[in-house]
Amino acid sequence: QCQSGAVKPDMWGRAYFAESCKGGNFSNTQYVAMKLLGKRLTYTTDLSQSGCGCNTAMYLVSMKQNSEVSGCSDYYCDANSVCGPNCAEIDIQEGNRFAWHSTLHKAYDGSGVSGGYGGWVHNNNQFDFDAKEYGPKARCIDTLKPFQVSTAFPVGAGGQLRAMEVTLSQEGSPCSVSISLDSYEADPSFKLLTKALEQGMTPVVSYWKSSDMLWMDGPGVGGGPCKVDDTPCDGAPRFSGFSVSDIGGRLLL
């Protein structure tokens, strides 16, 4: 659903950003190839109705470059071959009102490297923040209200990707929380993800649920928010206010 400039995916739904929309068959040539290397993508999300076991996602995949129709008949690809074709995937957001993951995946690496709060993350499973900072009525990000997501892809020597830096902030809050993924054993110099970002990636939003989502929102090695993935996914999440700027904040799109 698209309402008043916002995208609201229904349960089990995915929405792809496109240059144009035509009736009939899907075509990979219609999808946006957003070039975000050295830039910042910002948007507002509302996942207040998403509980344990719900996955409210916003991510980037190399759909424009995928020429396989796929088992979903829409040229969709990702690092887990959900519809058949495999490609690079950058998960800016996989989360619910209790947990949050941001993950880098080169093609054919379904696990990737993750940061955030809940389940299994990098750095020996040390969470980047906790329930006092992120969650219902938390001090920094109260997930019962909309909040802003800002993701930067800074470059280093030779124009190579240096990190993915994700910051969550909220109007009126005294603090923000952040994740920095600056190393990845499967792509040690970020050569492959640099190429994917240079070629352009398609933004996707989706909403799904599972009784086995503890990899994202479970205890992990201790301290994660959900013990059982049985909370209702009551309403559709909301994504709005998308913009692209350079790292310094100059608006580009």
Side-chain angles (χ1 to χ4, degrees):
Q1 303 178 46
C2 293
Q3 299 177 349
S4 304
V7 182
K8 298 177 67 177
D10 292 325
M11 179 55 68
W12 306 114
R14 285 194 303 265
Y16 314 135
F17 284 40
E19 299 281 4
S20 61
C21 183
K22 299 178 182 178
N25 296 331
F26 289 90
S27 170
N28 63 315
T29 62
Q30 297 174 355
Y31 297 131
V32 168
M34 194 171 286
K35 297 182 178 181
L36 293 171
L37 188 65
K39 298 183 177 67
R40 182 185 302 276
L41 175 65
T42 302
Y43 63 92
T44 297
T45 188
D46 182 347
L47 40 64
S48 57
Q49 301 301 306
S50 302
C52 294
C54 312
N55 191 324
T56 298
M58 191 279 160
Y59 54 106
L60 310 170
V61 289
S62 298
M63 285 179 68
K64 183 86 169 184
Q65 296 79 24
N66 174 44
S67 59
E68 295 183 53
V69 177
S70 84
C72 300
S73 303
D74 56 9
Y75 293 87
Y76 178 75
C77 64
D78 62 21
N80 281 285
S81 300
V82 167
C83 294
N86 200 287
C87 65
E89 174 183 347
I90 296 177
D91 299 323
I92 292 172
Q93 167 183 340
E94 285 190 287
N96 53 46
R97 65 179 180 267
F98 301 107
W100 180 281
H101 269 204
S102 296
T103 308
L104 297 172
H105 304 265
K106 73 176 184 65
Y108 298 101
D109 182 13
S111 297
V113 58
S114 299
Y117 172 53
W120 305 103
V121 296
H122 73 141
N123 289 339
N124 199 28
N125 290 305
Q126 296 299 307
F127 297 140
D128 293 279
F129 38 88
D130 59 25
K132 294 179 181 179
E133 298 168 302
Y134 175 94
K137 298 185 179 181
R139 183 171 66 94
C140 300
I141 305 297
D142 177 0
T143 55
L144 299 179
K145 303 174 183 179
F147 58 92
Q148 190 177 70
V149 183
S150 181
T151 304
F153 298 96
V155 296
Q160 293 282 101
L161 177 68
R162 182 165 53 81
M164 176 171 73
E165 299 172 347
V166 181
T167 301
L168 313 182
S169 60
Q170 193 167 50
E171 185 176 356
S173 171
C175 49
S176 60
V177 299
S178 61
I179 301 160
S180 180
L181 298 175
D182 57 7
S183 62
Y184 181 18
E185 287 187 8
D187 188 15
S189 63
F190 289 125
K191 181 179 179 180
L192 298 174
L193 289 178
T194 295
K195 182 178 180 181
L197 286 164
E198 283 179 333
Q199 291 179 337
M201 303 183 76
T202 302
V204 179
V205 297
S206 68
Y207 191 36
W208 60 288
K209 63 182 178 179
S210 173
S211 59
D212 186 21
M213 197 75 73
L214 295 179
W215 57 267
M216 184 192 78
D217 58 21
V221 295
C226 300
K227 302 295 188 293
V228 180
D229 284 322
D230 60 356
T231 308
C233 305
D234 291 326
R238 190 174 189 270
F239 301 87
S240 61
F242 287 89
S243 66
V244 177
S245 63
D246 61 22
I247 297 294
R250 181 171 60 93
L251 193 63
L252 302 174
L253 180 65

